Amino acid sequence: MVPTRINLGVGVLLVVLLGAGACAGGEGDGSAGNRPVAAAPAPSSPEPTEASPEPPPPAVSSAPPSVAPTVSPPKSSPSPQGCPTGEKQREVETALDAIGGYGPVTVDGVQSAADCAAIVKFQKRFGISPPNGRAGPTTADVSRRIAASLTPAERAKCAAGGGLTACVDLSQQTMWVVRDGEVIMGPTVVRTGFSGYATPAGTFKIDYRNVKEWSKPYKVWLPYWQHFIDGIGFHETTTYLHNMGNGSHGCVNLLHADAVQLWGLLKNGTTVKTFGRRSGT
């Protein structure tokens, strides 16, 4: 079969593309694709001519002008505008009320401006994203664990003696530091080893520290590294701590601020006690 040759000649095609940009996840802001259309100028009033009659002077009233009564706007209590009620509102209120220190909350399952402010402050402290005041599942889980770790019964499980002890509660996924029976740090949240890499329970000692350790097996930096057993230690998390579907390979992951504070408290020879068991390991 012989192909047929078609001569199309030479043509010019002019294509004009307008509004090619897009803003992912946002609303139109008047940029390309949302340009406002200029309004046509309003017709001007005709200029008066010499033949136009002169308007009569305005009437003058001898009565005093009336004064409208001043009405004060109604006073309203602050509203949690932009701070939605979450499905775990009452649970979070209950936990924050028990924890204290984040501002007043009312345990009624109804969002208020005060509740919102307390929840936002709590979310920022524990690295919960986004810190929008919404009482969702992550905020409820973290607040429940912190509240549980404040109880005398939970603290007693560490069995910290005299001196300095770092307590890691594997069941609650929290930790705190005790000096001579007094809690001097925490409780705060941690994330330990996941299934197949469970952080062991026991009593250990800090035996090596490095402000920035390189993990040869996993090819990642471990900030504020404090080793205590078999390649396992404390360090700042390199991922979002509250993704509990993840976990470490046995290490105790910390938020940045907590890793820094713990680095300043512990030293070689400090006792570390891990107890309980992380769910699913």
Side-chain angles (χ1 to χ4, degrees), residues 148-176:
S149 300
L150 284 168
T151 63
E154 199 68 20
R155 288 187 175 180
K157 294 178 183 179
C158 182
L164 193 66
T165 303
C167 302
V168 180
D169 190 334
L170 299 173
S171 300
Q172 298 295 339
Q173 292 290 281
T174 57
M175 65 101 31
W176 57 91

Side-chain angles (χ1 to χ4, degrees), residues 26 28 36 69 89 104 124 131 146-147 152 186 189 197 207 217 221 239 269:
Q89 185 73 32
K124 288 181 177 179
I146 295 296
V189 287
Y197 297 90
D207 58 8
W221 287 108
T239 60

Side-chain angles (χ1 to χ4, degrees), residues 196-220:
Y197 297 90
T199 306
T203 301
F204 314 103
K205 297 282 187 182
I206 298 291
D207 58 8
Y208 173 71
R209 300 180 351 129
N210 190 356
V211 73
K212 191 176 182 182
E213 181 77 0
W214 176 252
S215 172
K216 291 181 181 178
Y218 303 111
K219 313 298 183 189
V220 66

Side-chain angles (χ1 to χ4, degrees), residues 86-224:
E87 63 269 36
K88 302 290 185 179
Q89 185 73 32
R90 183 178 288 274
E91 291 94 323
V92 172
E93 291 168 351
T94 300
L96 293 188
D97 185 59
I99 295 168
Y102 292 94
V105 294
T106 303
V107 183
D108 57 3
V110 179
Q111 184 72 286
S112 69
D115 294 340
C116 176
I119 294 171
V120 167
K121 188 175 180 180
F122 180 84
Q123 290 170 331
K124 288 181 177 179
R125 164 61 185 90
F126 291 105
I128 299 170
S129 181
N132 59 3
R134 181 179 178 275
T138 299
T139 302
D141 179 63
V142 173
S143 61
R144 176 194 59 76
R145 288 155 49 200
I146 295 296
S149 300
L150 284 168
T151 63
E154 199 68 20
R155 288 187 175 180
K157 294 178 183 179
C158 182
L164 193 66
T165 303
C167 302
V168 180
D169 190 334
L170 299 173
S171 300
Q172 298 295 339
Q173 292 290 281
T174 57
M175 65 101 31
W176 57 91
V177 178
V178 179
R179 176 184 286 142
D180 297 327
E182 179 185 356
V183 176
I184 61 171
M185 173 188 168
T188 189
V189 287
V190 299
R191 185 179 58 195
T192 62
F194 59 94
S195 180
Y197 297 90
T199 306
T203 301
F204 314 103
K205 297 282 187 182
I206 298 291
D207 58 8
Y208 173 71
R209 300 180 351 129
N210 190 356
V211 73
K212 191 176 182 182
E213 181 77 0
W214 176 252
S215 172
K216 291 181 181 178
Y218 303 111
K219 313 298 183 189
V220 66
W221 287 108
L222 308 176
Y224 305 101

